[in-house]
Structures are given as C-alpha cells and as structure tokens.
Amino acid sequence: MKIGIIGAGFIGRAVAQLALAAGHEVMLSNSRGPQSMSSVLSGIRGVQVGTAQEAAQFGESVLLAIPFEHYRSVPAQWLEGKTVMDANNYYPNRDGHIPVLDRFETTTSRLVAEHLSQSKVVKVFNAILAPDLTQDARTRGAPDRRALPVAADDPAAKAQVIALLDEIGFDAVDAGGLDESWRFERAKPAYCIPLDKEGLKAALAAAERQVELPARW
C-alpha cells in the first residue's frame, strides 16, 4: 500500500518507519516543503518526501498528524475518497479553545470528518507516544503485544487500518464510531497508556465523557 503522511513530526516519522519495515511505500510531508526534510531522507531509509498535496495524492491511505488547530488547512479535495488516519489531539493551550470540544458536544475526529466530508476518517495513532510506536511494536502473537484503539464510521476503512496495525506490530481494539472516539482522546484512561487488548477494552469502558484525568495519569 502507498501511505501518504501529512505531518513529519515524531508520530509521522515513527509510523513511516514501521510502515516501510512492513513493506509499504511511504511519502512524508510537512508545511515547509520537501527541501526542509533532508534529515528525514537520511534518517529514514526508503522514505519519499514531498509537499502535503503530493503526499495526499500519493497515498491510498493518508495519515494526518499535524497540530489540531491546523486541520482545516488541509484542503478537503486533496483527500476525497481516501482513508484518512487521524492522529490529532486537542490541546487547548496549544490549539486555542474550541467551545464545542470544551463542552464535550463532539469529538476531534468528528470535526475532522465534517471538514473531510468525502473521506473515510479513522481515529488511530493518537493514543500512543511516538517513542512507544517504535519501541512497543511486536510480532503477532507476542505475549506482551500492545493494543491500540481505533474508531471509524466506515467499516471497510476501519478494517484496513486494523490490518495495518497488525502488520506494523500492534493489536487493535474497535472503539466504535467517531462519536465514541472521545473514549481515547486526551485525558482519558486509554490515552498513551501501554495496555493489551483486555486492558484497553477496560480502559475504554471506564472513560467518562465529562471527566478529564490529571496530566500525571
């Protein structure tokens, strides 16, 4: 599969490394353009670099891994018909306050899906730290294999992403549709905590809509 990545930060680069190791083709992009990514080319063997538009066009599936405040900067037409893996998180101190999120009326991925209305949005890769992506990947059947949560409204897109997770070293737990993706957003029990499938299911079930855990969690 060809995977385009919009956002060459820590998450984008970690996913690129894992996807390349699993045999996929990957193009990374950032807001400054490919001329700014010489260190990426030298540091990630086999990766391609391009503009954000080129990465969007390149990928059969596209990872969106940029600060949440900028999600509308990605033109929706670039991603029409594509599976979009949404790794974004809402941090009010960074992104500015978004009232509908502060009032728990919607989810970050629902807002992304409303913007990318012709795409199949899958919430994934937001609830794991970038170093853990490369450190915690395990072969299928490993007793200490970590599970990651996935949410989407489109069953086929969700299945595609779950298969990708398996290929790059992780189990998956289906967390429902995008309206349920709050269960693994920032400050919830499943957020960035290493868990196996059963532990992750319990953490998702324990989440309370209007309760945010302290940062030390």
Side-chain angles (χ1 to χ4, degrees):
M1 182 167 63
K2 291 184 175 181
I3 299 173
I5 300 178
I6 299 176
F10 295 124
I11 291 290
R13 294 200 299 269
V15 172
Q17 290 176 299
L18 292 170
L20 286 163
H24 299 289
E25 297 180 61
V26 178
M27 180 180 286
L28 268 167
S29 68
N30 66 13
S31 60
R32 300 188 304 278
Q35 70 279 359
S36 68
M37 290 191 286
S38 57
S39 63
V40 172
L41 279 172
S42 61
I44 304 177
R45 186 175 180 180
V47 75
Q48 301 177 52
V49 297
T51 65
Q53 184 174 7
E54 288 169 342
Q57 292 171 339
F58 173 87
E60 301 162 52
S61 182
V62 178
L63 172 65
L64 190 62
I66 60 177
F68 184 69
E69 64 176 321
H70 299 309
Y71 77 92
R72 288 186 177 276
S73 69
V74 179
Q77 62 267 28
W78 288 1
L79 297 166
E80 287 184 10
K82 295 179 183 283
T83 295
V84 176
M85 297 180 285
D86 172 28
N88 294 306
N89 286 303
Y90 169 51
Y91 290 95
N93 291 339
R94 178 196 66 189
D95 302 316
H97 281 277
I98 300 173
V100 290
L101 294 176
D102 292 341
R103 295 193 300 265
F104 307 103
E105 293 174 358
T106 188
T107 67
T108 58
S109 287
R110 176 59 66 200
L111 292 178
V112 171
E114 288 172 355
H115 173 57
L116 303 176
S117 60
Q118 301 304 309
S119 304
K120 296 163 284 187
V121 174
V122 182
K123 184 74 166 177
V124 68
F125 293 124
N126 73 297
I128 183 170
L129 300 174
D132 290 350
L133 272 168
T134 51
Q135 294 171 11
D136 291 357
R138 298 287 189 274
T139 56
R140 187 182 299 124
D144 59 343
R145 204 180 204 211
R146 183 169 174 171
L148 297 181
V150 179
D153 295 339
D154 185 284
K158 185 188 291 183
Q160 180 187 39
V161 171
I162 288 173
L164 175 64
L165 286 177
D166 182 49
E167 291 171 3
I168 67 173
F170 295 91
D171 288 334
V173 170
D174 186 341
L178 295 181
D179 291 332
E180 289 295 305
S181 63
W182 62 267
R183 292 183 177 276
F184 56 101
E185 290 181 344
R186 174 188 56 81
K188 299 302 181 187
Y191 184 67
C192 295
I193 304 296
L195 298 165
D196 62 12
K197 289 182 78 168
E198 293 309 311
L200 179 54
K201 289 176 183 177
L204 292 168
E208 297 179 74
R209 187 69 178 98
Q210 298 190 25
V211 176
E212 294 190 343
L213 298 172
R216 66 179 180 273
W217 175 264

